Amino acid sequence: MHLRYDYRAYPDTSQRRALASAFGCARVVWNDCLRDRREAHAAGLPYVKSAELSRVRIAQAKRTEERAWLAEVSAVVLQQSLRDLDTAYKGFFGSVKGKRKGPRVAPPRYKSKKDSRQSIRLNANAFSVQGNGTVYVAKVGNIKVKWSRTLPAAPTSLTVTEDSSGRYFMSFVVDTELDILPVLDTEVGIDLGLTTFAVLSDGTRISSPRFLRRAEKKLKRLQRGLNRKAKGSKNRVKARVKVARQHARVADRRRDWHHTASTQIIRDNQAVYVEDLAVSGLGRTRLAKSVHDAGWSAFVNMLEYKAVKHGRYFGKIGRFEPTSQVCSACGVKDGPKPLHVRQWTCRACGAVHDRDDNASQNTLAAGRADRLNASQSADKTRTKVPAQRVEAGSHPDGQPTAAGIPDRQVGEHVKRRTPRLRNGLGPWSSRRPVTW
């Protein structure tokens, strides 16, 4: 599988100037090619091919007086910028035509030197890892890198980025073998929340660290200092960098904590099931700051790729599965409950449930049911499954995903509840899986 390894880079003054020139040239090529395609579309002309753009906006532009400085950077940087534009258009067209899954992708936009992130991408012809620990970048030089860990194989591509706080990073793409962990007999369902970040079906509770909330006091002070500085002054630039560095520290701490928690969960369980949360929708509510501070999407993405890497099974249940409304003991739907209700008693069987613990148990049961039902129907429906034999599928109430390498079905046998008839007109709407 392809993995990305990020390292902190420390270019000297001359190398910073060379990188700034490379960032600017890649940005100009992107904007010129994007402008040509937009103007052709507005005029009703055919889509401008990449070969034509490469000839006009890179090869011929270097010979003109106004674009002669494009020759000062590596040609690989300019060609990769055009390829990135092609990839952006491919994603946009695939989203419009319905060929690309997920939320709709916007068309490519113009880049600015004021963007918070500047980057260039190079293939193996334009960089090399030196024996003394530096990385040679074409027409930039040997850049010092802080190697926090060794690369498992020779990298195939390199992305050099500068963030808003002035830090430089090198991101290597490496083709590595899977690191399959020993098979376990444990499965877990995860209920994500705000007060408690994650509640596992085995009873484990992971508290929310709230990195942004803890840094708010210092961020407010730095932001007030930034607002007092005159626009366009050097002091305002210094104050902006201080604010950006504080935000970067918060993001780094959150990312490191996500990696630690997700790795532990994947190592301790053979199968992991989570709910497909509508984070983009929750990010527009009054809980937006807390939702973004928790970083659910990043955490779930880490679980998914680490399941593939270590040979675990990862599944998402549908986002409309009523995990907080159904009794995990008897399977009766007790109805919706406001967020302030943390404990409730089932009116059918009398069981007292903690809201989060009950949701994690229902997530585990729904994930097992989806996994079993998909494995039984994959051969009949000829569904393409990204797993061994028939261990994948889709949930009837949502769009779940499955990842990893399932080796066998562990745990109890799970099946769907037989639908009840309503006045003889058809099945009842509830299709929640239960354990027998």
Side-chain angles (χ1 to χ4, degrees):
M1 65 182 301
H2 294 286
L3 294 178
R4 186 176 293 275
Y5 289 78
D6 294 344
Y7 301 91
R8 181 79 180 270
Y10 297 90
D12 55 29
T13 304
S14 62
Q15 292 171 349
R16 286 173 180 261
R17 286 196 295 266
L19 287 175
S21 178
F23 295 149
C25 291
R27 184 175 62 249
V28 166
V29 169
W30 171 287
N31 290 341
D32 288 346
C33 297
L34 178 58
R35 185 179 301 107
D36 288 350
R37 285 179 172 170
R38 285 192 174 185
E39 292 176 352
H41 176 71
L45 300 177
Y47 181 79
V48 184
K49 301 296 183 181
S50 300
E52 178 66 15
L53 291 175
S54 177
R55 182 180 63 85
V56 175
R57 291 301 180 182
I58 298 180
Q60 293 182 3
K62 291 180 181 180
R63 305 187 186 100
T64 62
E65 184 177 353
E66 60 178 3
R67 290 285 192 267
W69 34 265
L70 289 176
E72 298 177 0
V73 303
S74 172
V76 175
V77 172
L78 307 181
Q79 293 292 342
Q80 291 293 340
S81 180
L82 178 56
R83 291 192 181 97
D84 290 342
L85 179 62
D86 292 337
T87 303
Y89 264 108
K90 182 179 179 181
F92 169 64
F93 291 144
S95 178
V96 170
K97 296 178 181 178
K99 298 180 180 179
R100 187 183 188 276
K101 297 181 180 180
R104 185 163 182 173
V105 177
R109 66 167 184 86
Y110 291 112
K111 293 185 177 181
S112 170
K113 63 180 180 181
K114 296 182 180 180
D115 290 342
S116 60
R117 180 179 179 272
Q118 302 290 334
S119 66
I120 56 174
R121 196 161 62 88
L122 308 102
N123 57 23
N125 298 326
F127 78 94
S128 62
V129 180
Q130 305 297 309
N132 57 358
T134 61
V135 176
Y136 171 76
V137 178
K139 294 195 176 182
V140 176
N142 294 327
I143 301 178
K144 182 181 177 181
V145 179
K146 180 66 175 179
W147 298 100
S148 55
R149 52 181 173 174
T150 59
L151 288 170
T156 58
S157 69
L158 167 65
T159 303
V160 183
T161 61
E162 180 188 7
D163 64 8
S164 58
S165 61
R167 303 182 302 174
Y168 291 84
F169 294 92
M170 287 191 173
S171 179
F172 299 90
V173 175
V174 180
D175 190 8
T176 63
E177 298 293 333
L178 299 179
D179 182 17
I180 306 299
L181 295 176
V183 178
L184 302 175
D185 291 333
T186 55
E187 298 182 338
V188 69
I190 304 177
D191 178 68
L192 299 175
L194 296 178
T195 304
T196 303
F197 178 79
V199 177
L200 279 59
S201 57
D202 60 4
T204 305
R205 306 177 76 89
I206 303 176
S207 301
S208 180
R210 299 181 179 181
F211 294 104
L212 180 61
R213 296 289 186 181
R214 288 158 52 184
E216 270 187 328
K217 185 176 180 180
K218 187 173 184 179
L219 279 171
K220 288 180 180 179
R221 178 173 57 80
L222 294 175
Q223 189 65 51
R224 285 196 297 266
L226 173 62
N227 294 338
R228 294 191 186 102
K229 303 299 185 294
K231 292 185 178 181
S233 65
K234 292 185 178 179
N235 286 336
R236 186 178 179 86
V237 174
K238 295 178 182 178
R240 185 200 60 79
V241 172
K242 289 182 180 179
V243 175
R245 286 178 178 172
Q246 184 63 20
H247 277 290
R249 292 190 188 101
V250 172
D252 291 344
R253 291 166 185 165
R254 183 190 297 114
R255 188 183 307 109
D256 179 73
W257 185 82
H258 280 166
H259 274 295
T260 302
S262 59
T263 300
Q264 188 65 39
I265 292 174
I266 290 296
R267 288 185 179 275
D268 293 345
N269 300 278
Q270 184 64 27
V272 178
Y273 307 102
V274 299
E275 186 177 1
D276 184 20
L277 298 173
V279 179
S280 58
L282 293 172
R284 295 191 294 268
T285 65
R286 60 184 179 86
L287 300 175
K289 182 179 289 189
S290 297
V291 169
H292 293 307
D293 189 16
W296 291 332
S297 293
F299 178 74
V300 171
N301 290 337
M302 289 180 186
L303 288 175
E304 186 171 0
Y305 91 79
K306 289 178 182 180
V308 177
K309 178 182 177 182
H310 297 297
R312 303 306 199 196
Y313 181 88
F314 174 84
K316 285 183 181 180
I317 68 171
R319 63 180 57 174
F320 299 109
E321 191 74 28
T323 55
S324 298
Q325 305 178 24
V326 177
C327 174
S328 59
C330 64
V332 173
K333 188 175 181 179
D334 202 57
K337 299 165 185 62
L339 288 177
H340 70 271
V341 177
R342 309 313 302 174
Q343 287 188 348
W344 55 280
T345 303
C346 178
R347 290 176 290 184
C349 65
V352 179
H353 296 292
D354 178 87
R355 182 191 185 101
D356 298 330
D357 289 333
N358 180 74
S360 63
Q361 294 291 339
N362 287 331
T363 301
L364 175 62
R368 285 175 170 175
D370 287 335
R371 184 180 179 185
L372 178 62
N373 294 341
S375 65
Q376 291 176 347
S377 62
D379 286 338
K380 302 176 184 178
T381 59
R382 298 183 181 179
T383 304
K384 294 183 178 180
V385 289
Q388 183 178 357
R389 289 193 295 274
V390 290
E391 294 285 347
S394 60
H395 192 276
D397 295 331
Q399 297 293 333
T401 59
I405 307 176
D407 52 335
R408 61 187 177 90
Q409 182 68 28
V410 243
E412 302 178 72
H413 175 67
V414 183
K415 65 180 181 179
R416 292 281 179 188
R417 175 186 293 276
T418 303
R420 296 176 290 174
L421 297 181
R422 181 182 56 184
N423 299 329
L425 298 179
W428 200 260
S429 58
S430 175
R431 293 179 288 176
R432 199 193 72 84
V434 296
T435 52
W436 298 86

